[in-house]
Amino acid sequence: MKYEWFEEYATSKKGAYKEYKAEWEADRYMIRDKMFMYRGINDSNGREIITLKLEPEMGQALREQSDGDIVPGYYMNKIHWSSVYIEGNVSDDLLRSMIDEAYQLILESFSKKAQREILEG
């Protein structure tokens, strides 16, 4: 399987955990009650995807450079979320940086107090 390191990397972040959402048939990666990414199947074409929350400018730039391997987030806000096709040619380093960005964006959406609790937890 490509990106064998993915789950361990995502859940190794402070406060991050995985939960399965049956209605989506997808694994969601969360900090408390907020999702920063998920891994599942794109129903429109049956391809496995990883969907991540990104800064709009970053997501747009990556989509423009990816030759179709990074697309607007499947079934999500197309400005703030991007999907990576797992069988595509996105490098491990790029996917790691996208995971880092998604995690950081959601972490920063919490109050300063909650951020400290998460990071110290």
Side-chain angles (χ1 to χ4, degrees):
M1 179 183 85
K2 192 169 182 182
Y3 307 129
E4 295 168 358
W5 53 267
F6 170 84
E7 184 173 311
E8 183 178 345
Y9 187 74
T11 57
S12 71
K13 297 188 168 299
K14 291 282 190 174
Y17 63 94
K18 177 181 95 167
E19 71 175 21
Y20 183 72
K21 182 151 177 87
E23 306 90 85
W24 295 6
E25 296 180 1
D27 290 320
R28 300 190 314 171
Y29 295 84
M30 314 281 288
I31 306 171
R32 292 195 174 172
D33 63 343
K34 295 184 179 185
M35 181 175 69
F36 64 99
M37 68 181 163
Y38 75 88
R39 181 178 187 157
I41 301 294
N42 177 328
D43 285 339
S44 68
N45 61 26
R47 295 165 68 189
E48 192 173 5
I49 56 172
I50 298 170
T51 299
L52 310 99
K53 183 166 180 97
L54 301 172
E55 286 288 346
E57 299 81 19
M58 179 184 187
Q60 182 64 35
L62 291 172
R63 290 191 294 269
E64 290 172 0
Q65 299 168 15
S66 75
D67 293 327
D69 292 329
I70 302 174
V71 297
Y74 175 71
Y75 211 70
M76 302 295 279
N77 179 303
K78 308 294 186 219
I79 295 171
H80 295 278
W81 293 82
S82 293
S83 292
V84 174
Y85 287 112
I86 289 179
E87 81 275 357
N89 291 314
V90 174
S91 72
D92 287 0
D93 288 341
L94 177 55
L95 184 56
R96 276 190 194 93
S97 72
M98 293 172 74
I99 294 168
D100 293 343
E101 170 77 9
Y103 173 84
Q104 195 63 36
L105 279 173
I106 296 304
L107 179 64
E108 291 172 357
S109 73
F110 290 99
S111 70
K112 295 293 182 194
K113 179 183 177 192
Q115 288 180 44
R116 279 192 305 274
E117 292 170 359
I118 291 165
L119 294 173
E120 293 170 1

